[in-house]
Amino acid sequence: MPISRVIGSLKAKLVLGGVAALVLGIALTTGALLVELERRLLVERRQAELGHAQLQAAQLEERLAGYHRALAAVARGIGADQLASQAALNALLESKPVLRDMFESVFIADLQGELLVVHEERGGYRRPGVRIADRTYFQRAALGKYAISEPIVGRISGQLLVLLAQPIVLGGRVVAVLGGSLPLTSGELLNGIADVVHGDADQLVVVSDTSGRILAHPDARLLTASVEKEPRLAAAMRRLVADGAPLGPQGADLSSDDHLVTVAALPSGEWWVWRHRSREAVLAPLAAGRRDALIGAALLVVVLSAVLTLVQSRLLQPLAQLHRRAQRLFDSTLRADEDWPGGSDEIGRLAAVLRQVGSERLEQEATQRDLVQRMEAVMTAAPVGILFTRAQRFELVSDEFCRMLQRDRSELIGQLTERVFASAEDYRQLGPAVGQAFSAGRPYDGEWAMRRADTTQVWTRLRGLPVNPQDAGAGTVWTVQDITQDMVARQALEWAAAHDPLTGLANRKTFDERLAQVFAAQPQSQPAVLLLLDLDSFKPINDAFGHAAGDAVLCAVAQAIAGQVRAGDLVARRGGDEFGVLLERCPGEVAQRVAETVRVAVAGLQMPWQGQLLQVGVSVGVAALEDLPFTSAADWIAAADRASYDAKAAGRNRVHRVETQRLKVVHG
């Protein structure tokens, strides 16, 4: 074979192009190495940030523990004679200068929540007559638990602070509560952490409680606001909540593409420490090196591009002629055999093929135009939406479909079919269902929510058939029918069948079905706790004021119960004045506290009616699934029911828990 023919072949030209591509690949490899270096730097920095968050959480825990130890030590030394005298209380606090120095204010309250004495840093001793019985931290301390309050504005000082409360126990029972207040915006509690917050412009450190309420932040306006109000942490907070797993001292890495976010919980679980750095700040040291590498690669690309352009302009002139002629393949001003490059090499043979393809395509397009015109006439007159899709894109849509989605045809033709579905997850589920139907040789038929132009949803019935079952690339024909009204009516019936019409809670049937499911799923479903609630003094209200008053009280009780449990817990009205609560993934001790909180909330209701205040109590039976070897869900319900009746028999407005071989009175 002559050397000139070898050099002039398309194969030789591709070899020359490959050499140029190899040179360019060097630059791309350099870029890839830089990307890998950045990735490793980010990984190391994320690990370091998580370690800092864990360390700061441990430091903050130790500070809180110091305050706790100080309160506990003083509480152990308080006697009954000191609690009985104002002067003795003043003398007691006067003898504790260390405690007074640690806290901005120190107080002692009786079990009714009345402050017996308060010492403030600037105000001295006084008995303000303030009651704190409604505060959650006081209620926990009154039950014998050390407690830390949420951030509050002090009723006496007017400052934003947290309060630590320690029960004072004499003779094995709580007789009073000792507490101290710590300011959030000053003082020693957040000292050091605040220095980090203010000391690095590229770094953000935030302290929050477990509900996401901000306790420390460089912007004082965000104190007590949700972490989701901080733009740099909002996405991480939502991700943490969606995950649902408890956050421990080991912390979590919630970083995203643009932000490095880590969070660690104090060992006690009371508060969280958040750390944030921007990806840009972390990668700043690599910026100069990256710029130099990119400049060098760019210069190399420019030089090689110039060389490649010169080579191609000489070697590929016939290909350029072929390109120009192919662009005018269906130009009617040219003859079918005019202006094509000649020769017997690859380009010449390709030109001959294109001449033949051009002639055949002209004939096919004429036939296709005729078919499309007929199809569009059918689609315009059809009373249902008609679509033709191929490769997951719209090729034809009917007027009725456009009207249904409130979109112009120009907004749909050529676009991905996914854009009209209500969610990407729906669209991902549709594909396998359609494929299964077509593989079985039957049309697809299903109901899906689609999205109109104004983002509202329309429920549709979607039917589809492949144009050619043996050729998936031939496309699919669909019909779409608006079934929104039918769907709304169906959903209303389903809701009514599962809920109590008066209170809107789940009804007894729904509650018992879920209870049976949890029972059958053991042991994976443990821990789980059942609460059965029977209202006290409800019948006299019905008798004295009528059923309208009774219904109003039942609705208020339903709201009070639902307000004290988690959003995922099932609350039901089981009939009459009986209610039930199913606490899944809830330990028994936690459930006891929830039951007591529900009891307090119901007992505290006061319903104005015809000039009087209607009030009821509630007797609560608590049965933990893991406490007794229940033989069935009905046995579980019966145990909780017996506990409820025992609570009522013991004096009403009480909580009883079923335990192994006995019933235990939790509170009354």
Side-chain angles (χ1 to χ4, degrees):
M1 181 181 296
I3 188 65
S4 59
R5 185 171 180 181
V6 173
I7 295 177
S9 68
L10 182 59
K11 185 180 297 185
K13 299 171 188 176
L14 292 175
V15 170
L16 293 176
V19 172
L22 180 61
V23 175
L24 290 175
I26 296 174
L28 295 177
T29 301
T30 302
L33 290 174
L34 285 173
V35 170
E36 176 62 16
L37 183 60
E38 290 180 358
R39 186 192 67 80
R40 292 186 180 183
L41 179 59
L42 287 172
V43 170
E44 293 175 359
R45 189 59 192 178
R46 286 164 64 175
Q47 294 173 346
E49 286 293 304
L50 183 57
H52 289 320
Q54 294 168 350
L55 177 60
Q56 287 181 305
Q59 292 172 342
L60 189 53
E61 174 71 15
E62 180 57 32
R63 293 181 189 178
L64 286 172
Y67 289 113
H68 178 204
R69 288 193 293 269
L71 286 175
V74 173
R76 285 193 297 270
I78 296 176
D81 54 340
Q82 293 171 309
L83 293 174
S85 167
Q86 181 72 45
L89 290 174
N90 292 346
L92 170 67
L93 294 186
E94 183 65 29
S95 67
K96 306 297 180 181
V98 174
L99 187 68
R100 297 199 313 273
D101 290 341
M102 292 179 69
F103 294 93
E104 182 173 88
S105 66
V106 180
F107 67 88
I108 298 177
D110 62 21
L111 288 184
Q112 285 70 44
E114 182 175 355
L115 295 182
L116 302 177
V117 62
V118 175
H119 179 275
E120 294 181 292
E121 186 176 358
R122 295 184 295 274
Y125 299 94
R126 59 195 180 96
R127 181 169 182 163
V130 174
R131 294 179 65 84
I132 59 173
D134 60 329
R135 295 299 176 95
T136 303
Y137 68 88
F138 172 79
Q139 295 170 357
R140 289 185 60 191
L143 292 174
K145 303 291 185 179
Y146 164 71
I148 300 178
S149 77
E150 69 276 7
I152 61 175
V153 176
R155 291 181 173 178
I156 299 174
S157 67
Q159 296 189 55
L160 188 64
L161 44 82
V162 293
L163 290 95
L164 279 60
Q166 175 69 30
I168 300 174
V169 181
L170 293 176
R173 64 185 185 90
V174 178
V175 298
V177 172
L178 170 66
S181 65
L182 297 171
L184 290 177
T185 54
S186 62
E188 297 297 325
L189 178 59
L190 298 177
N191 187 25
I193 294 180
D195 292 340
V196 174
V197 172
H198 295 286
D200 189 344
D202 293 326
Q203 179 174 310
L204 173 69
V205 178
V206 171
V207 179
S208 76
D209 62 17
T210 55
S211 68
R213 193 163 26 215
I214 294 176
L215 306 178
H217 193 285
D219 187 349
R221 294 172 299 179
L222 289 178
L223 291 178
T224 74
S226 171
V227 172
E228 294 192 38
K229 297 296 184 182
E230 166 55 66
R232 290 166 287 185
L233 302 178
M237 180 63 184
R238 289 192 293 270
R239 178 178 168 189
L240 184 63
V241 172
D243 182 58
L247 180 66
Q250 74 278 5
D253 185 351
L254 304 174
S255 301
S256 62
D257 292 339
D258 298 324
H259 303 277
L260 273 65
V261 179
T262 56
V263 59
L266 274 63
S268 65
E270 294 286 353
W271 294 346
W272 295 342
V273 176
W274 299 80
R275 292 180 63 89
H276 168 276
R277 290 185 70 90
S278 68
R279 183 177 185 273
E280 181 180 359
V282 173
L283 298 180
L286 292 179
R290 179 190 299 155
R291 285 194 296 270
D292 292 342
L294 291 177
I295 290 173
L299 291 175
L300 181 60
V301 169
V302 169
V303 172
L304 292 178
S305 296
V307 173
L308 184 60
T309 299
L310 291 175
V311 172
Q312 287 180 339
S313 65
R314 296 288 300 239
L315 298 180
L316 301 181
Q317 287 182 354
L319 187 59
Q321 180 184 359
L322 177 62
H323 177 259
R324 291 192 299 270
R325 182 59 182 88
Q327 287 180 317
R328 304 178 64 187
L329 185 61
F330 304 108
D331 190 342
S332 59
T333 64
L334 295 176
R335 298 192 310 272
D337 59 348
E338 182 180 356
D339 202 23
W340 292 97
S344 58
D345 60 4
E346 290 89 342
I347 295 178
R349 293 194 293 272
L350 180 58
V353 172
L354 288 177
R355 285 198 298 271
Q356 181 179 354
V357 169
S359 298
E360 294 177 354
R361 182 175 177 181
L362 285 173
E363 296 177 0
Q364 291 177 356
E365 285 187 345
T367 301
Q368 186 175 2
R369 281 194 299 271
D370 182 59
L371 290 174
V372 169
Q373 289 174 354
R374 297 179 184 180
M375 183 177 294
E376 288 181 343
V378 172
M379 296 177 71
T380 300
V384 297
I386 300 178
L387 318 172
F388 175 72
T389 64
R390 182 158 39 198
Q392 299 181 354
R393 293 183 181 272
F394 293 107
E395 292 197 4
L396 289 174
V397 295
S398 70
D399 292 348
E400 175 63 18
F401 183 70
C402 293
R403 183 202 61 76
M404 191 183 305
L405 297 188
Q406 300 175 355
R407 298 176 184 270
D408 293 331
R409 183 177 279 103
S410 59
E411 299 179 55
L412 298 174
I413 298 300
Q415 299 297 316
L416 290 171
T417 54
E418 179 182 1
R419 67 176 301 188
V420 303
F421 280 80
S423 71
E425 180 60 28
D426 283 356
Y427 189 75
R428 285 192 292 270
Q429 294 178 9
L430 173 63
V434 172
Q436 183 178 6
F438 289 176
S439 298
R442 53 183 174 80
Y444 173 76
D445 192 337
E447 296 176 352
W448 296 96
M450 293 188 178
R451 186 174 60 248
R452 297 189 181 97
D454 61 1
T455 72
T456 59
Q457 287 189 3
V458 54
W459 276 97
T460 65
R461 183 173 184 181
L462 192 63
R463 295 184 178 93
L465 275 172
V467 173
N468 183 352
Q470 281 71 45
D471 182 7
T476 307
V477 176
W478 304 90
T479 61
V480 185
Q481 182 180 358
D482 186 346
I483 60 168
T484 302
Q485 293 183 351
D486 295 341
M487 185 62 68
V488 169
R490 185 192 309 170
Q491 291 174 346
L493 288 174
E494 292 174 352
W495 189 94
H499 291 78
D500 174 49
L502 174 62
T503 62
L505 300 178
N507 59 23
R508 181 169 189 156
K509 177 177 179 295
T510 301
F511 188 78
D512 289 351
E513 287 176 351
R514 181 55 191 160
L515 204 67
Q517 292 171 1
V518 172
F519 186 86
Q522 294 184 83
Q524 289 79 9
S525 59
Q526 292 184 5
V529 181
L530 170 63
L531 310 183
L532 289 186
L533 302 89
D534 193 346
L535 298 186
D536 301 324
S537 303
F538 177 72
K539 187 175 184 300
I541 292 177
N542 262 343
D543 294 342
F545 298 97
H547 289 289
D551 289 348
V553 170
L554 289 175
C555 291
V557 168
Q559 293 177 2
I561 296 172
Q564 304 304 317
V565 299
R566 301 169 297 185
D569 294 330
L570 181 61
V571 182
R573 181 186 177 200
R574 291 177 53 80
D577 59 351
E578 296 181 4
F579 296 84
V581 181
L582 177 58
L583 303 174
E584 298 185 47
R585 303 299 177 191
C586 181
E589 293 304 318
V590 175
Q592 289 182 205
R593 295 196 294 271
V594 172
E596 176 60 22
T597 302
V598 170
R599 185 197 67 78
V600 171
V602 173
L605 287 175
Q606 290 185 333
M607 171 71 65
W609 190 269
Q610 297 178 356
Q612 298 191 44
L613 294 178
L614 307 183
Q615 192 168 12
V616 295
V618 63
S619 298
V620 185
V622 181
L625 184 58
E626 61 271 21
D627 279 353
L628 290 173
F630 299 115
T631 59
S632 66
D635 190 22
W636 188 13
I637 294 174
D641 199 31
R642 289 194 302 272
S644 172
Y645 278 110
D646 288 343
K648 191 177 291 289
R652 303 189 177 190
N653 196 28
R654 296 170 181 268
V655 175
H656 275 236
R657 177 184 172 186
V658 178
E659 291 190 347
T660 305
Q661 303 303 326
R662 64 190 180 94
L663 288 175
K664 176 182 178 183
V665 179
V666 178
H667 186 74

